[in-house]
Amino acid sequence: KRLILIGPPGSGKGTQSPIIKDEYCLCHLATGDMLRAAVAAKTPLGIKAKEAMNNGELVSDDLVVGIIDEAMKKPSCQKGFILDGFPRTVVQAEKLDEMLQKQGGKIDKVLNFAIDDAILEERITGRWIHPSSGRSYHTKFQPPKVPGVDDVTGEPLIQRKDDTAEVLKSRLDAFHRQTEPVINYYSTKGIVASLHAEKPPKEVTSEVKNVLSS
Ligand code: AP5
Ligand code: ZN
């Protein structure tokens, strides 16, 4: 399967991705995770992306299209993939169509994580992540077994630099202006399924499984 997850910051894309990935043996390509790794490693890509990310603005289409094009060639992605956080502009969606056409493939489903903006601040400001695996926790909704520590590796959790109420405003603004049109782009192709992303994580997972098995 080739899947796209679209939703505003904090809607649960990164929380559901590992579950879907394991269930269907897909690779998980999260442009945000890849960019954060590049920023941390101070690669040329990371140096170019850092400022936009810290301000809650989108990184340029060329940069992210380049990393996705490269990542999709990995052998582990040949069976199918989950795109988490990409495409985020109509230009990115068009470029993705071109890349897939070359391989003779197409997107099967777009999962739209529909949720009211008002819920997102609490989710974002309470989030703690394990940087190397991308696992997220929440102080209230998904607390780790030991506060500040990853359940699996025992390594420390960190907060993302863009997870402040202030930067969230820019990220939401970018979502509504630049990413919502991508949902319409795929709606006209009849492949969008909308989820009730405000529900608890387990209920969202069941909705995802229902959509993917139908
Ligand atoms: P990215 O990393 O993609 O961030 P985002 O889209 O803002 O999404 P988040 O990761 O914040 O939200 P999520 O939906 O994954 O939430 P999560 O599951 O963790 O992008 C970051 C930046 O990179 C962008 O701003 C941009 O600069 C750049 N970028 C990335 N891709 C780009 C592209 N294609 N083009 C241009 N620029 C790009 O959940 C959040 C919290 O809520 C967690 O604490 C979790 O435990 C909790 N939670 C999750 N689900 C539930 C639930 N159902 N109930 C209660 N709590 C829940
Ligand atoms: Zn995420």
Side-chain angles (χ1 to χ4, degrees):
K1 284 195 194 311
R2 298 185 184 88
L3 309 175
I4 292 174
L5 311 193
I6 297 190
S11 56
K13 306 178 296 292
T15 298
Q16 299 297 327
S17 288
I19 304 169
I20 310 172
K21 173 189 157 176
D22 291 344
E23 180 88 11
Y24 299 93
C25 294
L26 306 174
C27 78
H28 175 210
L29 300 177
T31 40
D33 291 348
M34 296 189 251
L35 290 167
R36 275 185 291 282
V39 170
K42 299 194 170 72
T43 65
L45 168 71
I47 291 164
K48 286 186 201 141
K50 187 175 177 179
E51 198 185 332
M53 293 181 77
N54 286 346
N55 292 331
E57 291 156 9
L58 295 187
V59 169
S60 80
D61 289 332
D62 287 344
L63 285 186
V64 285
V65 168
I67 57 176
I68 283 290
D69 194 19
E70 203 48 51
M72 284 200 316
K73 290 177 187 150
K74 285 192 294 195
S76 59
C77 295
Q78 299 314 307
K79 272 200 196 159
F81 49 72
I82 303 165
L83 295 175
D84 164 2
F86 180 93
R88 249 178 160 93
T89 65
V90 172
V91 171
Q92 292 177 18
E94 290 167 349
K95 289 270 161 62
L96 175 63
D97 276 348
E98 285 172 28
M99 288 184 247
L100 290 173
Q101 262 159 26
K102 278 187 209 149
Q103 310 173 0
K106 63 171 181 51
I107 296 297
D108 297 300
K109 265 293 179 250
V110 176
L111 302 176
N112 172 26
F113 284 65
I115 190 165
D116 204 274
D117 283 4
I119 306 178
L120 300 172
E121 185 177 320
E122 190 182 17
R123 285 203 190 172
I124 287 292
T125 53
R127 168 165 57 188
W128 287 80
I129 62 162
H130 177 242
S132 63
S133 69
R135 267 185 291 281
S136 10
Y137 298 88
H138 192 283
T139 46
K140 182 165 158 194
F141 305 126
Q142 292 208 298
K145 290 184 192 128
V146 180
V149 174
D150 178 45
D151 287 352
V152 179
T153 62
E155 289 166 358
L157 302 176
I158 60 153
Q159 283 195 293
R160 270 168 54 175
K161 211 163 177 188
D162 58 347
D163 276 353
T164 62
E166 187 61 31
V167 178
L168 175 62
K169 289 196 189 104
S170 319
R171 291 161 64 194
L172 281 173
D173 185 54
F175 176 78
H176 292 302
R177 282 189 299 119
Q178 295 170 278
T179 308
E180 263 173 358
V182 178
I183 301 172
N184 302 335
Y185 176 89
Y186 290 112
S187 291
T188 62
K189 300 178 191 275
I191 55 171
V192 176
S194 288
L195 309 170
H196 294 89
E198 78 288 352
K199 289 187 180 171
K202 286 207 174 85
E203 293 183 34
V204 178
T205 303
S206 328
E207 283 195 19
V208 170
K209 287 184 181 169
N210 281 339
V211 167
L212 297 183
S213 63
S214 62

